[in-house]
Amino acid sequence: RCRFPVIIKKGCDNWSITKITKANIDELMREAGMAATNETAVLISHDNRQFLKHELTSTKTMTLTDAFDSIFSIEDSESATADDAQKRYCRAYLDKVPGWIHTINLDKLDSLFEAGNDEKVVEETMKNVSRAAEKNHSPWSNYKPKNIGVWASSAGCETPLHFDLCHGFLCQVKGRKSFLLAPPEDTNSLAWKHASQNKNSLTSGVDLSLWMQGNQTQRNMYPHIDECAWRRADLDAGDILYTPPGWWHHVTSVTKSLSVLVPTDPGTIDELPWNVHACA
């Protein structure tokens, strides 16, 4: 159950949050009963490439509309190589923007999580997305709004190699993202930074992008990277990626991107490589 990453094609393509654009965000916020002054945190990368809290970024506070405008208003190519402006990563958690809670379909995720990784069961579950509603079951039973984040990113943003302590559904509602993933069994090859080494205790010391580009310093420091059982997941708008706890992943926003990250705690039947704690 829930042992490997799975891509669910077009799993969120009908969510109403997909209607959000730079042009209509003010209107949609008003419809949701939110003020245009709602504030959110925006990460600014020190090297204009890598985004991870603490040592790789600084944080500034902006209104949600200004944050979206700063990411989606650049009138250039969608590709990462063409976007040379200052890259930004904006996050807004649903407990802070409660009007957006009903723009995502958690009934579908609730059913999917129970399905595990059996592809036939997943396919059948996706067809029967009304099951939870018919049973009057609240989709919020497994999820915490304070942990569900709406993430907007410039093209070319990278989240360095790391793992999470929860099950995660990355719902790609706009743009494209690319993931490189490695299983927990490869941890010894990935230069895990423990809490005693830095504040980002779930991260790797490897700069995977530079390593993949053939950077000799990175390859000399981390010679076992190519021995890992790597998987690649390329997400288009409407796709969902499920990532189990403990799986390493490096994330690139191939284009300007809008995603919803839905984490949920491990269950009592999960067998994990180390003690996994509940989401904060």
Side-chain angles (χ1 to χ4, degrees):
R1 178 179 181 270
C2 302
R3 292 290 176 261
F4 304 101
V6 172
I7 297 177
I8 303 96
K9 300 297 291 184
K10 301 301 179 185
C12 63
D13 61 344
N14 62 346
W15 289 9
S16 57
I17 196 173
T18 60
K19 299 176 183 178
I20 294 175
T21 66
K22 170 185 174 293
N24 70 6
I25 186 172
D26 286 335
E27 178 182 353
L28 289 173
M29 288 177 68
R30 285 195 298 272
E31 290 177 358
M34 296 183 291
T37 56
N38 277 54
E39 293 186 334
T40 187
V42 178
L43 301 180
I44 308 296
S45 172
H46 298 325
D47 66 0
N48 206 32
R49 177 173 64 92
Q50 299 182 95
F51 286 78
L52 199 67
K53 60 184 180 181
H54 302 311
E55 78 264 23
L56 296 180
T57 61
S58 57
T59 303
K60 65 184 301 183
T61 301
M62 301 175 67
T63 66
L64 201 56
T65 50
D66 285 347
F68 270 69
D69 184 73
S70 71
I71 291 172
F72 292 105
S73 65
I74 301 172
E75 302 297 335
D76 61 9
S77 169
E78 287 281 317
S79 70
T81 55
D83 188 357
D84 294 324
Q86 184 182 60
K87 297 177 177 64
R88 301 180 181 214
Y89 227 129
C90 158
R91 69 173 181 265
Y93 290 101
L94 286 191
D95 65 331
K96 302 299 182 184
V97 283
W100 279 0
I101 285 177
H102 300 294
T103 67
I104 65 178
N105 186 347
L106 289 182
D107 285 340
K108 181 180 293 188
L109 290 186
D110 214 26
S111 300
L112 183 63
F113 185 75
E114 294 175 7
N117 283 160
D118 185 312
E119 292 185 2
K120 292 183 179 180
V121 176
V122 168
E123 182 179 356
E124 182 62 28
T125 300
M126 297 300 284
K127 295 177 182 178
N128 186 25
V129 297
S130 63
R131 180 183 60 81
E134 291 172 356
K135 291 185 176 182
N136 197 30
H137 170 65
S138 170
W140 294 100
S141 59
N142 286 337
Y143 310 111
K144 302 174 183 176
K146 69 176 183 178
N147 291 330
I148 299 176
V150 179
W151 291 83
S153 56
S154 306
C157 289
E158 296 181 15
T159 303
L161 195 61
H162 68 286
F163 66 89
D164 297 313
L165 300 179
C166 301
H167 299 276
F169 293 95
L170 191 287
C171 308
Q172 188 65 20
V173 297
K174 287 186 181 295
R176 292 182 288 127
K177 277 187 174 177
S178 181
F179 285 68
L180 289 172
L181 305 104
E185 292 77 13
D186 287 331
T187 294
N188 289 339
S189 299
L190 294 174
W192 179 13
K193 290 184 178 180
H194 295 268
S196 60
Q197 296 174 283
N198 75 337
K199 294 180 180 179
N200 293 312
S201 60
L202 309 182
T203 62
S204 166
V206 183
D207 187 327
L208 193 57
S209 286
L210 292 183
W211 199 99
M212 298 284 287
Q213 294 166 17
N215 180 279
Q216 201 57 53
T217 299
Q218 287 287 314
R219 297 213 165 195
N220 289 340
M221 291 175 63
Y222 311 109
H224 302 295
I225 298 301
D226 58 352
E227 299 172 6
C228 298
W230 292 103
R231 297 178 181 223
R232 178 167 180 148
D234 294 315
L235 301 186
D236 296 314
D239 294 343
I240 298 174
L241 174 66
Y242 164 71
T243 305
W247 272 74
W248 293 88
H249 48 288
H250 174 279
V251 189
T252 302
S253 295
V254 180
T255 69
K256 302 166 192 175
S257 172
L258 184 66
S259 309
V260 177
L261 178 60
V262 184
T264 188
D265 293 334
T268 56
I269 67 171
D270 292 325
E271 297 175 4
L272 301 168
W274 52 77
N275 185 27
V276 173
H277 301 281
C279 299

